[in-house]
């Protein structure tokens, strides 16, 4: 394996940013952030220009404001401002689950759809600041819904279509959302997902918990049969046909909320990560342009789902703010065949392609033929996001998919950061497989030890960011104290990411994974506590402890240690039932991979579960369990080892 891949000549010549420019801009952005961002804040249009740039403190109560006296509108920036120059250019290419199903939507058409939908929402009482829940498949209407919210100043909260009715209800209740947009059914890999049915169930659960959803707007996607409640449900196509095709964009303050997105942490229920208007859009659009080296006319494809932050920033807001053509894919990588991605690349002549390591590993396993029978000549930049990419998968992506022509941008960031934070730039950065390389403009990473001491040079530690950037989350919805506690209490005056990281002698960053109880399963972020509470909500379960373990395709798999109630016998049947139960509570993305019935869990005398030991056993690496002297009952460990479920 090669250690370093130099910037390809072609990439250097074409790129917006070469290495000298990177160095120069980066230094400027750190030395004088106000000056730097004052200039780059102007990349979006403002109704009222800002005079203040940055007003942020990571101490005490923590307050983060960018461009605070400016006024703008995100939908205006993503649509209206492009109409004169590129009204007839395609804004969204939609590629359906079925390879014969596609659609192209121009900026003019996007304008009309979004305006009509804005009027539909207004007519049904949605106002500035209201929370609108979006539970949709990957269809253009999902993007219209986001942009229509942005246009009228409503705050959207997208819930990934793979979440269960319970999970959807929890999110509706947390932000007291009374308007839901969904579809009759979703379609992925030929399988139908009962979105309306799930929504009906969620609305009932929410009602029980005191939140009454007044309207459910339903897009007809498959025309499958759904239950209908006249007093509440509205067909999208009927309402849209009656709505007016123009709607003025609301004047939004830079710090008005744009969206909420629920994400998992190490404790408690998922938190509503809140992003605001001005800074977020500046950061999403700027990173989209420079990280992918986006040029006018490029066809850009990010394979994420709009239910995750990657879909927000890099399918919808970043690309559309830049006037790009963004491809939205309804399906899955291996349907109808594992060649699907590359067929779509050729079909739409995709130039920039952004996906997740889990997809790369799965396709790598399906064999090179599926790739090599496509041309892929249009490809120029490849991207990776969601979890660390192992060097083998990186090399395959680079050599087989990219024919050694295309730089890979391994982009590290989080729901909380709003946009890409550590990443190569295609024309500037020599690449090392497995490294996210260097910080983006304005980002100052610090590695700290457990006591909070800042480590210098080549080292390894916990990854913090020492100063604010425009795309940063502003609070946890409805719980600012939790925001401060979660991100700013471990290391004073710094944002703590929850990730571990190594820095090498060249100053390159290598993310080593989460250092908290968050696991990353196929790029889906999950709290082990969430899976545990789903397990113990089953009648047969008395206690559960969940850890991640290395998984060839998913990155991490879900390993569950389950202690059953007195008198209950463990069986293969019961395992199946527990898997089904967890899927029902959280959603199919949280399916346990391994369940081990364990009469006891390794606990300290004060009753704390020693997860370190459980992780080791799940990894089938029990030779070095470390210090077990604090265990209340060391015999428990022998039983766990004997009955381990992941034998290599
Ligand atoms: C964008 C997104 C965030 C967590 C993050 C980290 C992991 C994301 C990564 C990466 C290594 C990368 N992560 N990108 N780890 N290299 N390029 O994925 O947001 O769903 O909030 O997950 O994902 O552990 O802390 P989110």
């Amino acid at each position: 394996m090669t250690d370093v891949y130099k910037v390809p000549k072609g990439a250097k010549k074409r790129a917006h940013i070469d290495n000298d420019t990177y160095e120069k801009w980066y230094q400027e952005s750190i030395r004088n952030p106000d000056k730097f961002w004052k200039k780059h804040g102007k990349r979006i249009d403002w109704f009222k220009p800002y005079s203040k740039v940055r007003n942020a403190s990571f101490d005490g109560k923590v307050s983060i404001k960018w461009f605070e006296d400016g006024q703008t509108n995100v939908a205006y920036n993503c649509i209206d401002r492009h109409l004169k120059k590129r009204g007839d250019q395609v804004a969204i290419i939609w590629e359906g689950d079925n390879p014969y199903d596609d659609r192209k939507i121009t900026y003019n058409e996007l304008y009309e759809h979004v305006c009509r939908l804005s009027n539909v929402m207004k007519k049904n009482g949605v106002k500035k600041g209201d929370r609108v829940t979006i539970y949709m498949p990957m269809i253009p209407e999902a993007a219209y819904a986001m942009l229509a919210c942005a246009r009228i100043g409503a705050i959207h909260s997208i819930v990934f279509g793979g979440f269960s009715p319970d999970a959807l209800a929890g999110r509706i209740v947390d932000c007291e959302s009374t308007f839901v947009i969904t579809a009759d059914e979703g379609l992925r890999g030929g399988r139908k997902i009962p979105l309306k049915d799930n929504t009906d169930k969620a609305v009932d659960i929410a009602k029980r918990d005191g939140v009454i959803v007044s309207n459910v707007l339903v897009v007809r996607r498959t025309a499958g049969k759904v239950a209908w409640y006249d007093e509440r449900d509205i067909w999208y196509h009927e309402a849209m046909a009656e709505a007016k095709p123009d709607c003025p964009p609301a004047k939004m303050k830079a710090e008005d909320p744009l969206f909420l997105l629920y994400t998992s942490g190490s404790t408690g229920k998922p938190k509503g990560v809140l992003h605001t208007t001005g800074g977020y859009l500046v950061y999403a659009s700027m990173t989209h342009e420079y990280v992918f080296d986006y040029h006018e006319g490029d066809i850009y494809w990010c394979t994420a789902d709009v239910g995750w932050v990657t879909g927000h920033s890099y399918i919808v807001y970043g690309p559309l703010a830049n006037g790009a053509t963004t491809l939205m894919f309804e399906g899955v990588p291996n349907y109808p065949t594992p060649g699907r991605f590359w067929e779509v690349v050729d079909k739409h002549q995709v130039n920039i392609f952004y996906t997740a390591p889990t997809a790369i590993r799965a396709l790598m396993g399906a064999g090179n033929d599926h790739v090599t029978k496509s041309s892929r000549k249009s490809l120029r930049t490849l991207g990776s996001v969601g979890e660390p990419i192992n060097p083998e998968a990186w090399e395959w992506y680079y050599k087989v998919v990219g024919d050694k022509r295309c730089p890979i941008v391994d982009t590290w960031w989080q729901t909380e950061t709003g946009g890409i934070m550590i990443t190569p730039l295609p024309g500037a950065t020599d690449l090392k497989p497995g490294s996210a390389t260097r910080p983006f403009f304005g980002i100052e990473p610090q590695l700290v030890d457990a006591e909070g001491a800042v480590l210098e040079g080549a080292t390894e530690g916990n990854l913090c960011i020492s100063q604010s950037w425009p795309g940063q989350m502003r609070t946890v919805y409805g719980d600012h104290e939790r925001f401060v506690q979660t991100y700013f209490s471990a290391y004073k005056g710094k944002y703590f990411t929850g990730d571990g990281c190594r820095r090498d002698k060249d100053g390159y960053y290598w993310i080593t994974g989460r250092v908290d109880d968050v696991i990353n399963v196929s790029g889906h972020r999950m709290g082990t506590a969430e899976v545990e509470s789903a397990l113990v909500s089953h009648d047969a379960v008395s206690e559960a402890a969940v850890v991640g373990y290395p998984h060839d395709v998913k990155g991490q798999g879900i390993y569950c240690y389950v202690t059953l109630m007195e008198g209950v016998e463990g069986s293969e049947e019961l395992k199946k039932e527990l898997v089904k139960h967890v899927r029902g509570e959280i959603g199919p993305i949280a399916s346990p991979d391994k369940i081990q019935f364990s009469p006891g869990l390794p606990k300290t005398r004060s009753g704390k579960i020693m997860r370190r030991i459980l992780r080791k056993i799940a990894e089938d690496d029990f030779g070095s369990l470390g210090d077990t002297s604090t265990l209340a009952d060391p015999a428990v460990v022998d039983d766990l080892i004997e009955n381990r479920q992941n034998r290599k």
Side-chain angles (χ1 to χ4, degrees), residues 309-310 385-388 410-415 499 511 514 520 525:
V309 73
T310 305
V385 61
E387 52 177 315
D410 174 1
T411 63
W412 173 84
W413 60 296
Q414 310 176 294
T415 306
D499 279 312
I511 307 295
R514 301 288 303 198
N520 195 327
R525 184 173 151 178

Side-chain angles (χ1 to χ4, degrees), residues 454-467:
V454 177
L455 307 166
E456 304 293 342
T459 185
E460 187 168 342
N462 292 335
L463 177 62
C464 293
I465 312 291
S466 68
Q467 56 170 310

